[in-house]
PDB file of all heavy atoms in Angstrom:
ATOM      1  N   LEU A  48     -28.394 110.351  42.455  1.00 94.00           N
ATOM      2  CA  LEU A  48     -27.716 109.451  41.516  1.00 94.00           C
ATOM      3  C   LEU A  48     -28.667 108.446  40.878  1.00 94.00           C
ATOM      4  O   LEU A  48     -28.377 107.915  39.804  1.00 94.00           O
ATOM      5  CB  LEU A  48     -26.572 108.713  42.211  1.00 94.00           C
ATOM      6  CG  LEU A  48     -25.385 109.586  42.629  1.00 94.00           C
ATOM      7  CD1 LEU A  48     -24.373 108.755  43.409  1.00 94.00           C
ATOM      8  CD2 LEU A  48     -24.742 110.256  41.420  1.00 94.00           C
ATOM      9  N   MET A  49     -29.801 108.207  41.512  1.00 93.00           N
ATOM     10  CA  MET A  49     -30.799 107.271  40.988  1.00 93.00           C
ATOM     11  C   MET A  49     -31.717 107.928  39.950  1.00 93.00           C
ATOM     12  O   MET A  49     -32.474 107.255  39.274  1.00 93.00           O
ATOM     13  CB  MET A  49     -31.654 106.717  42.130  1.00 93.00           C
ATOM     14  CG  MET A  49     -30.890 106.004  43.214  1.00 93.00           C
ATOM     15  SD  MET A  49     -30.051 104.526  42.644  1.00 93.00           S
ATOM     16  CE  MET A  49     -31.435 103.498  42.263  1.00 93.00           C
ATOM     17  N   ARG A  50     -31.652 109.236  39.849  1.00 94.00           N
ATOM     18  CA  ARG A  50     -32.533 109.984  38.944  1.00 94.00           C
ATOM     19  C   ARG A  50     -31.929 110.037  37.546  1.00 94.00           C
ATOM     20  O   ARG A  50     -30.714 110.033  37.399  1.00 94.00           O
ATOM     21  CB  ARG A  50     -32.749 111.395  39.486  1.00 94.00           C
ATOM     22  CG  ARG A  50     -33.389 111.394  40.880  1.00 94.00           C
ATOM     23  CD  ARG A  50     -33.593 112.783  41.405  1.00 94.00           C
ATOM     24  NE  ARG A  50     -34.625 113.494  40.666  1.00 94.00           N
ATOM     25  CZ  ARG A  50     -35.928 113.283  40.784  1.00 94.00           C
ATOM     26  NH1 ARG A  50     -36.371 112.358  41.612  1.00 94.00           N
ATOM     27  NH2 ARG A  50     -36.798 113.988  40.092  1.00 94.00           N
ATOM     28  N   PRO A  51     -32.757 110.115  36.513  1.00 95.00           N
ATOM     29  CA  PRO A  51     -32.223 110.249  35.151  1.00 95.00           C
ATOM     30  C   PRO A  51     -31.302 111.463  35.004  1.00 95.00           C
ATOM     31  O   PRO A  51     -30.301 111.408  34.299  1.00 95.00           O
ATOM     32  CB  PRO A  51     -33.475 110.412  34.285  1.00 95.00           C
ATOM     33  CG  PRO A  51     -34.564 109.754  35.083  1.00 95.00           C
ATOM     34  CD  PRO A  51     -34.213 109.990  36.528  1.00 95.00           C
ATOM     35  N   SER A  52     -31.606 112.533  35.729  1.00 94.00           N
ATOM     36  CA  SER A  52     -30.808 113.756  35.639  1.00 94.00           C
ATOM     37  C   SER A  52     -29.500 113.661  36.428  1.00 94.00           C
ATOM     38  O   SER A  52     -28.614 114.491  36.262  1.00 94.00           O
ATOM     39  CB  SER A  52     -31.608 114.945  36.161  1.00 94.00           C
ATOM     40  OG  SER A  52     -31.848 114.795  37.554  1.00 94.00           O
ATOM     41  N   LYS A  53     -29.403 112.668  37.337  1.00 94.00           N
ATOM     42  CA  LYS A  53     -28.259 112.515  38.252  1.00 94.00           C
ATOM     43  C   LYS A  53     -28.073 113.759  39.115  1.00 94.00           C
ATOM     44  O   LYS A  53     -26.963 114.091  39.518  1.00 94.00           O
ATOM     45  CB  LYS A  53     -26.964 112.223  37.488  1.00 94.00           C
ATOM     46  CG  LYS A  53     -26.997 111.006  36.597  1.00 94.00           C
ATOM     47  CD  LYS A  53     -27.018 109.742  37.416  1.00 94.00           C
ATOM     48  CE  LYS A  53     -26.869 108.535  36.494  1.00 94.00           C
ATOM     49  NZ  LYS A  53     -27.719 107.447  36.880  1.00 94.00           N
ATOM     50  N   SER A  54     -29.160 114.450  39.391  1.00 95.00           N
ATOM     51  CA  SER A  54     -29.117 115.707  40.130  1.00 95.00           C
ATOM     52  C   SER A  54     -30.296 115.791  41.094  1.00 95.00           C
ATOM     53  O   SER A  54     -31.335 115.173  40.877  1.00 95.00           O
ATOM     54  CB  SER A  54     -29.179 116.872  39.133  1.00 95.00           C
ATOM     55  OG  SER A  54     -29.313 118.101  39.808  1.00 95.00           O
ATOM     56  N   CYS A  55     -30.115 116.606  42.117  1.00 96.00           N
ATOM     57  CA  CYS A  55     -31.232 116.871  43.026  1.00 96.00           C
ATOM     58  C   CYS A  55     -32.007 118.101  42.583  1.00 96.00           C
ATOM     59  O   CYS A  55     -33.028 118.432  43.179  1.00 96.00           O
ATOM     60  CB  CYS A  55     -30.740 117.026  44.464  1.00 96.00           C
ATOM     61  SG  CYS A  55     -29.722 118.476  44.750  1.00 96.00           S
ATOM     62  N   ALA A  56     -31.560 118.754  41.516  1.00 96.00           N
ATOM     63  CA  ALA A  56     -32.186 120.002  41.068  1.00 96.00           C
ATOM     64  C   ALA A  56     -33.668 119.822  40.743  1.00 96.00           C
ATOM     65  O   ALA A  56     -34.465 120.734  40.958  1.00 96.00           O
ATOM     66  CB  ALA A  56     -31.452 120.569  39.855  1.00 96.00           C
ATOM     67  N   ASP A  57     -34.037 118.652  40.255  1.00 95.00           N
ATOM     68  CA  ASP A  57     -35.431 118.400  39.888  1.00 95.00           C
ATOM     69  C   ASP A  57     -36.138 117.461  40.876  1.00 95.00           C
ATOM     70  O   ASP A  57     -37.197 116.936  40.588  1.00 95.00           O
ATOM     71  CB  ASP A  57     -35.507 117.836  38.463  1.00 95.00           C
ATOM     72  CG  ASP A  57     -34.705 116.554  38.288  1.00 95.00           C
ATOM     73  OD1 ASP A  57     -33.925 116.177  39.201  1.00 95.00           O
ATOM     74  OD2 ASP A  57     -34.843 115.924  37.225  1.00 95.00           O
ATOM     75  N   MET A  58     -35.550 117.269  42.040  1.00 96.00           N
ATOM     76  CA  MET A  58     -36.100 116.365  43.047  1.00 96.00           C
ATOM     77  C   MET A  58     -37.158 117.071  43.885  1.00 96.00           C
ATOM     78  O   MET A  58     -37.024 118.251  44.194  1.00 96.00           O
ATOM     79  CB  MET A  58     -34.960 115.870  43.949  1.00 96.00           C
ATOM     80  CG  MET A  58     -35.339 114.743  44.881  1.00 96.00           C
ATOM     81  SD  MET A  58     -33.940 114.231  45.924  1.00 96.00           S
ATOM     82  CE  MET A  58     -32.766 113.669  44.706  1.00 96.00           C
ATOM     83  N   GLU A  59     -38.191 116.346  44.236  1.00 96.00           N
ATOM     84  CA  GLU A  59     -39.256 116.870  45.083  1.00 96.00           C
ATOM     85  C   GLU A  59     -39.244 116.135  46.425  1.00 96.00           C
ATOM     86  O   GLU A  59     -38.815 114.991  46.508  1.00 96.00           O
ATOM     87  CB  GLU A  59     -40.611 116.700  44.399  1.00 96.00           C
ATOM     88  CG  GLU A  59     -40.757 117.463  43.092  1.00 96.00           C
ATOM     89  CD  GLU A  59     -40.670 118.972  43.263  1.00 96.00           C
ATOM     90  OE1 GLU A  59     -41.102 119.476  44.320  1.00 96.00           O
ATOM     91  OE2 GLU A  59     -40.155 119.643  42.341  1.00 96.00           O
ATOM     92  N   LEU A  60     -39.763 116.798  47.428  1.00 96.00           N
ATOM     93  CA  LEU A  60     -39.807 116.233  48.775  1.00 96.00           C
ATOM     94  C   LEU A  60     -40.499 114.873  48.791  1.00 96.00           C
ATOM     95  O   LEU A  60     -40.018 113.934  49.434  1.00 96.00           O
ATOM     96  CB  LEU A  60     -40.512 117.205  49.733  1.00 96.00           C
ATOM     97  CG  LEU A  60     -40.663 116.735  51.175  1.00 96.00           C
ATOM     98  CD1 LEU A  60     -39.304 116.538  51.831  1.00 96.00           C
ATOM     99  CD2 LEU A  60     -41.499 117.738  51.972  1.00 96.00           C
ATOM    100  N   LYS A  61     -41.596 114.745  48.087  1.00 96.00           N
ATOM    101  CA  LYS A  61     -42.378 113.505  48.095  1.00 96.00           C
ATOM    102  C   LYS A  61     -41.540 112.311  47.645  1.00 96.00           C
ATOM    103  O   LYS A  61     -41.555 111.259  48.295  1.00 96.00           O
ATOM    104  CB  LYS A  61     -43.611 113.660  47.194  1.00 96.00           C
ATOM    105  CG  LYS A  61     -44.542 112.473  47.210  1.00 96.00           C
ATOM    106  CD  LYS A  61     -45.766 112.733  46.350  1.00 96.00           C
ATOM    107  CE  LYS A  61     -46.671 111.512  46.330  1.00 96.00           C
ATOM    108  NZ  LYS A  61     -47.873 111.740  45.526  1.00 96.00           N
ATOM    109  N   SER A  62     -40.796 112.449  46.568  1.00 94.00           N
ATOM    110  CA  SER A  62     -39.985 111.325  46.084  1.00 94.00           C
ATOM    111  C   SER A  62     -38.811 111.061  47.032  1.00 94.00           C
ATOM    112  O   SER A  62     -38.428 109.910  47.247  1.00 94.00           O
ATOM    113  CB  SER A  62     -39.491 111.574  44.660  1.00 94.00           C
ATOM    114  OG  SER A  62     -38.625 112.683  44.604  1.00 94.00           O
ATOM    115  N   LEU A  63     -38.263 112.115  47.611  1.00 96.00           N
ATOM    116  CA  LEU A  63     -37.161 111.936  48.553  1.00 96.00           C
ATOM    117  C   LEU A  63     -37.635 111.222  49.815  1.00 96.00           C
ATOM    118  O   LEU A  63     -36.939 110.355  50.344  1.00 96.00           O
ATOM    119  CB  LEU A  63     -36.545 113.294  48.896  1.00 96.00           C
ATOM    120  CG  LEU A  63     -35.340 113.271  49.819  1.00 96.00           C
ATOM    121  CD1 LEU A  63     -34.230 112.381  49.268  1.00 96.00           C
ATOM    122  CD2 LEU A  63     -34.824 114.683  50.043  1.00 96.00           C
ATOM    123  N   LYS A  64     -38.832 111.542  50.278  1.00 96.00           N
ATOM    124  CA  LYS A  64     -39.366 110.887  51.468  1.00 96.00           C
ATOM    125  C   LYS A  64     -39.570 109.384  51.235  1.00 96.00           C
ATOM    126  O   LYS A  64     -39.381 108.584  52.153  1.00 96.00           O
ATOM    127  CB  LYS A  64     -40.671 111.552  51.904  1.00 96.00           C
ATOM    128  CG  LYS A  64     -40.428 112.871  52.630  1.00 96.00           C
ATOM    129  CD  LYS A  64     -41.697 113.573  53.007  1.00 96.00           C
ATOM    130  CE  LYS A  64     -42.583 112.722  53.877  1.00 96.00           C
ATOM    131  NZ  LYS A  64     -43.803 113.416  54.326  1.00 96.00           N
ATOM    132  N   LYS A  65     -39.925 108.990  50.012  1.00 95.00           N
ATOM    133  CA  LYS A  65     -40.057 107.560  49.706  1.00 95.00           C
ATOM    134  C   LYS A  65     -38.715 106.864  49.887  1.00 95.00           C
ATOM    135  O   LYS A  65     -38.642 105.765  50.445  1.00 95.00           O
ATOM    136  CB  LYS A  65     -40.567 107.353  48.281  1.00 95.00           C
ATOM    137  CG  LYS A  65     -42.035 107.635  48.110  1.00 95.00           C
ATOM    138  CD  LYS A  65     -42.462 107.360  46.683  1.00 95.00           C
ATOM    139  CE  LYS A  65     -43.893 107.784  46.450  1.00 95.00           C
ATOM    140  NZ  LYS A  65     -44.301 107.614  45.053  1.00 95.00           N
ATOM    141  N   LYS A  66     -37.669 107.495  49.400  1.00 95.00           N
ATOM    142  CA  LYS A  66     -36.321 106.935  49.553  1.00 95.00           C
ATOM    143  C   LYS A  66     -35.933 106.892  51.031  1.00 95.00           C
ATOM    144  O   LYS A  66     -35.339 105.927  51.500  1.00 95.00           O
ATOM    145  CB  LYS A  66     -35.294 107.752  48.769  1.00 95.00           C
ATOM    146  CG  LYS A  66     -35.506 107.754  47.273  1.00 95.00           C
ATOM    147  CD  LYS A  66     -35.171 106.419  46.679  1.00 95.00           C
ATOM    148  CE  LYS A  66     -35.200 106.475  45.171  1.00 95.00           C
ATOM    149  NZ  LYS A  66     -35.140 105.164  44.573  1.00 95.00           N
ATOM    150  N   TYR A  67     -36.254 107.945  51.748  1.00 95.00           N
ATOM    151  CA  TYR A  67     -35.928 108.043  53.170  1.00 95.00           C
ATOM    152  C   TYR A  67     -36.588 106.904  53.956  1.00 95.00           C
ATOM    153  O   TYR A  67     -35.972 106.304  54.835  1.00 95.00           O
ATOM    154  CB  TYR A  67     -36.383 109.399  53.712  1.00 95.00           C
ATOM    155  CG  TYR A  67     -36.091 109.612  55.187  1.00 95.00           C
ATOM    156  CD1 TYR A  67     -34.894 110.167  55.595  1.00 95.00           C
ATOM    157  CD2 TYR A  67     -37.031 109.257  56.157  1.00 95.00           C
ATOM    158  CE1 TYR A  67     -34.616 110.354  56.944  1.00 95.00           C
ATOM    159  CE2 TYR A  67     -36.762 109.445  57.506  1.00 95.00           C
ATOM    160  CZ  TYR A  67     -35.558 109.995  57.889  1.00 95.00           C
ATOM    161  OH  TYR A  67     -35.296 110.167  59.225  1.00 95.00           O
ATOM    162  N   LYS A  68     -37.839 106.610  53.628  1.00 95.00           N
ATOM    163  CA  LYS A  68     -38.587 105.579  54.361  1.00 95.00           C
ATOM    164  C   LYS A  68     -38.110 104.162  54.045  1.00 95.00           C
ATOM    165  O   LYS A  68     -38.321 103.247  54.835  1.00 95.00           O
ATOM    166  CB  LYS A  68     -40.079 105.708  54.072  1.00 95.00           C
ATOM    167  CG  LYS A  68     -40.686 106.938  54.713  1.00 95.00           C
ATOM    168  CD  LYS A  68     -42.141 107.108  54.352  1.00 95.00           C
ATOM    169  CE  LYS A  68     -42.700 108.385  54.952  1.00 95.00           C
ATOM    170  NZ  LYS A  68     -44.072 108.641  54.559  1.00 95.00           N
ATOM    171  N   ASP A  69     -37.457 103.979  52.903  1.00 95.00           N
ATOM    172  CA  ASP A  69     -36.929 102.670  52.515  1.00 95.00           C
ATOM    173  C   ASP A  69     -35.575 102.475  53.182  1.00 95.00           C
ATOM    174  O   ASP A  69     -34.563 102.997  52.742  1.00 95.00           O
ATOM    175  CB  ASP A  69     -36.796 102.595  50.992  1.00 95.00           C
ATOM    176  CG  ASP A  69     -36.247 101.266  50.503  1.00 95.00           C
ATOM    177  OD1 ASP A  69     -35.885 100.404  51.339  1.00 95.00           O
ATOM    178  OD2 ASP A  69     -36.152 101.095  49.276  1.00 95.00           O
ATOM    179  N   LYS A  70     -35.553 101.713  54.276  1.00 93.00           N
ATOM    180  CA  LYS A  70     -34.334 101.525  55.074  1.00 93.00           C
ATOM    181  C   LYS A  70     -33.204 100.847  54.291  1.00 93.00           C
ATOM    182  O   LYS A  70     -32.040 100.957  54.656  1.00 93.00           O
ATOM    183  CB  LYS A  70     -34.637 100.713  56.332  1.00 93.00           C
ATOM    184  CG  LYS A  70     -35.730 101.286  57.194  1.00 93.00           C
ATOM    185  CD  LYS A  70     -35.323 102.566  57.874  1.00 93.00           C
ATOM    186  CE  LYS A  70     -36.375 102.983  58.869  1.00 93.00           C
ATOM    187  NZ  LYS A  70     -36.772 104.336  58.794  1.00 93.00           N
ATOM    188  N   ARG A  71     -33.554 100.165  53.212  1.00 94.00           N
ATOM    189  CA  ARG A  71     -32.524  99.514  52.394  1.00 94.00           C
ATOM    190  C   ARG A  71     -31.814 100.519  51.494  1.00 94.00           C
ATOM    191  O   ARG A  71     -30.683 100.299  51.092  1.00 94.00           O
ATOM    192  CB  ARG A  71     -33.124  98.392  51.551  1.00 94.00           C
ATOM    193  CG  ARG A  71     -33.676  97.243  52.411  1.00 94.00           C
ATOM    194  CD  ARG A  71     -34.499  96.291  51.591  1.00 94.00           C
ATOM    195  NE  ARG A  71     -35.658  97.044  51.096  1.00 94.00           N
ATOM    196  CZ  ARG A  71     -36.399  96.696  50.060  1.00 94.00           C
ATOM    197  NH1 ARG A  71     -36.135  95.602  49.407  1.00 94.00           N
ATOM    198  NH2 ARG A  71     -37.433  97.435  49.674  1.00 94.00           N
ATOM    199  N   PHE A  72     -32.499 101.613  51.183  1.00 96.00           N
ATOM    200  CA  PHE A  72     -31.895 102.632  50.328  1.00 96.00           C
ATOM    201  C   PHE A  72     -30.914 103.470  51.141  1.00 96.00           C
ATOM    202  O   PHE A  72     -31.254 103.958  52.216  1.00 96.00           O
ATOM    203  CB  PHE A  72     -32.959 103.546  49.706  1.00 96.00           C
ATOM    204  CG  PHE A  72     -32.353 104.615  48.846  1.00 96.00           C
ATOM    205  CD1 PHE A  72     -31.931 104.320  47.565  1.00 96.00           C
ATOM    206  CD2 PHE A  72     -32.151 105.885  49.331  1.00 96.00           C
ATOM    207  CE1 PHE A  72     -31.325 105.278  46.777  1.00 96.00           C
ATOM    208  CE2 PHE A  72     -31.562 106.856  48.559  1.00 96.00           C
ATOM    209  CZ  PHE A  72     -31.140 106.560  47.276  1.00 96.00           C
ATOM    210  N   ALA A  73     -29.691 103.624  50.624  1.00 95.00           N
ATOM    211  CA  ALA A  73     -28.649 104.389  51.322  1.00 95.00           C
ATOM    212  C   ALA A  73     -28.615 103.973  52.790  1.00 95.00           C
ATOM    213  O   ALA A  73     -28.710 104.794  53.696  1.00 95.00           O
ATOM    214  CB  ALA A  73     -28.872 105.882  51.156  1.00 95.00           C
ATOM    215  N   ALA A  74     -28.482 102.672  52.990  1.00 92.00           N
ATOM    216  CA  ALA A  74     -28.566 102.093  54.328  1.00 92.00           C
ATOM    217  C   ALA A  74     -27.525 102.671  55.288  1.00 92.00           C
ATOM    218  O   ALA A  74     -27.728 102.669  56.500  1.00 92.00           O
ATOM    219  CB  ALA A  74     -28.427 100.576  54.254  1.00 92.00           C
ATOM    220  N   GLY A  75     -26.428 103.195  54.774  1.00 91.00           N
ATOM    221  CA  GLY A  75     -25.394 103.777  55.618  1.00 91.00           C
ATOM    222  C   GLY A  75     -25.757 105.140  56.182  1.00 91.00           C
ATOM    223  O   GLY A  75     -25.065 105.655  57.057  1.00 91.00           O
ATOM    224  N   CYS A  76     -26.832 105.720  55.692  1.00 93.00           N
ATOM    225  CA  CYS A  76     -27.286 107.031  56.187  1.00 93.00           C
ATOM    226  C   CYS A  76     -28.235 106.800  57.352  1.00 93.00           C
ATOM    227  O   CYS A  76     -29.328 106.273  57.179  1.00 93.00           O
ATOM    228  CB  CYS A  76     -27.977 107.824  55.071  1.00 93.00           C
ATOM    229  SG  CYS A  76     -26.861 108.242  53.726  1.00 93.00           S
ATOM    230  N   ASP A  77     -27.791 107.168  58.524  1.00 93.00           N
ATOM    231  CA  ASP A  77     -28.500 106.874  59.765  1.00 93.00           C
ATOM    232  C   ASP A  77     -29.735 107.766  59.930  1.00 93.00           C
ATOM    233  O   ASP A  77     -29.625 108.951  60.234  1.00 93.00           O
ATOM    234  CB  ASP A  77     -27.547 107.057  60.935  1.00 93.00           C
ATOM    235  CG  ASP A  77     -28.068 106.500  62.234  1.00 93.00           C
ATOM    236  OD1 ASP A  77     -29.294 106.476  62.428  1.00 93.00           O
ATOM    237  OD2 ASP A  77     -27.239 106.084  63.067  1.00 93.00           O
TER     238      ASP A  77
END
């Protein structure tokens, strides 16, 4: 939802891992 495309179709592991490491991002996801 944060991507311009609003899709995971063009998402790469590297960018997703940055989000994963940021504990404030999607904080409800344990």
Side-chain angles (χ1 to χ4, degrees):
L48 292 175
M49 302 297 293
R50 300 180 69 75
S52 66
K53 303 289 187 220
S54 172
C55 67
D57 58 350
M58 190 181 298
E59 297 297 327
L60 179 63
K61 184 177 178 179
S62 64
L63 183 56
K64 283 177 58 177
K65 285 182 186 176
K66 297 289 188 191
Y67 180 90
K68 289 176 183 176
D69 180 356
K70 305 290 188 228
R71 295 169 296 160
F72 179 79
C76 296
D77 193 330

